[in-house]
Amino acid sequence: MYTVSRDGVVVSPPRATVSVPHGYEPALEALNTQLAPCACPVHRQAGAAQ
């Protein structure tokens, strides 16, 4: 697939085609996925409760 302008000019490179089989179930993410505690200058104590 690619994008074409109203004048018929191709305006983007071809995109990948993705095929998902019927009934496909992706793997579930663990419930403990979190970002690391903030350590920016405003929150110098990383992980400190607000």
Side-chain angles (χ1 to χ4, degrees):
M1 298 181 80
Y2 51 90
T3 305
V4 179
S5 71
R6 72 171 85 177
D7 300 322
V9 178
V10 176
V11 293
S12 71
R15 294 185 231 160
T17 302
V18 178
S19 175
V20 180
H22 178 71
Y24 171 77
E25 292 288 330
L28 297 176
E29 290 289 328
L31 295 176
N32 63 353
T33 1
Q34 290 182 317
L35 297 174
C38 181
C40 72
V42 175
H43 306 111
R44 288 190 192 273
Q45 296 175 343
Q50 296 290 323

